[in-house]
Amino acid sequence: QLQLVESGGGLVQPGGSLRLSCAASGFTLGYYAIGWFRQAPGKEREGVSCISSSGGSTNYADSVKGRFTISRDNAKNTVYLQMNSLKPEDTAVYYCAADKGPTYYSGSYYCRSLIASLFGSWGQGTQVTVSS
C-alpha cells in the first residue's frame, strides 16, 4: 500500500547532472523522512542523502556533499535529488525509501543515521551511470 517510484536516472558524462525524483502513492509523503540510497555492483547499499518530513533538515554522505541537493515538494508527494558534478564512482542503482515511523526511532534519527535497514517502503530503483 505504501509505494515509492524512482525516476530520472540515465547515462551522463563525468561532470554532468541528473535530477532524480521519488514519487509516492498510497500514502502522504509529507508524513515521512525520505532517504536516498545507492548500490553499486559488489558493494553494499549506502546512504546518500535524507530529508526530514517537513524538509527542515537534511543530511548527506561525505562523498556527495557539495554536489548533491535533496529537496521535497509535499504538495506533489515527491522528493528530488539534484546531482551535479557527477563522477564515475556515483554509478549505481539509486533508491528512495521512507522511514518506519516514531515507534522505532525519533523522527530525526532516521536522517542522522542514513542506515538503509532502518527504512522501509523501498522503491524499485533507477540506474545512474556516469561514464565518458
Side-chain angles (χ1 to χ4, degrees), residues 28-88:
T28 301
L29 195 64
Y31 188 78
Y32 300 90
I34 300 296
W36 281 100
F37 301 82
R38 66 187 182 187
Q39 188 164 23
K43 294 184 176 293
E44 67 180 6
R45 190 167 298 185
E46 64 174 343
V48 175
S49 186
C50 187
I51 188 166
S52 63
S53 59
S54 68
S57 62
T58 58
N59 192 23
Y60 298 90
D62 289 341
S63 60
V64 307
K65 286 181 179 177
R67 300 188 298 120
F68 291 10
T69 302
I70 191 169
S71 63
R72 68 191 303 156
D73 186 341
N74 287 340
K76 295 182 178 180
N77 250 12
T78 302
V79 169
Y80 305 97
L81 185 67
Q82 178 67 46
M83 306 186 296
N84 298 326
S85 302
L86 284 163
K87 304 175 180 180

Side-chain angles (χ1 to χ4, degrees), residues 7 25 36 41 62 97 115:
S7 62
S25 63
W36 281 100
D62 289 341
I115 297 173

Side-chain angles (χ1 to χ4, degrees), residues 79-122:
V79 169
Y80 305 97
L81 185 67
Q82 178 67 46
M83 306 186 296
N84 298 326
S85 302
L86 284 163
K87 304 175 180 180
E89 50 263 45
D90 295 318
T91 296
V93 177
Y94 283 70
Y95 302 87
C96 63
D99 73 60
K100 294 182 178 180
T103 299
Y104 301 92
Y105 301 99
S106 66
S108 63
Y109 186 70
Y110 291 98
C111 280
R112 287 191 286 109
S113 71
L114 265 181
I115 297 173
S117 62
L118 302 186
F119 288 74
S121 300
W122 292 85

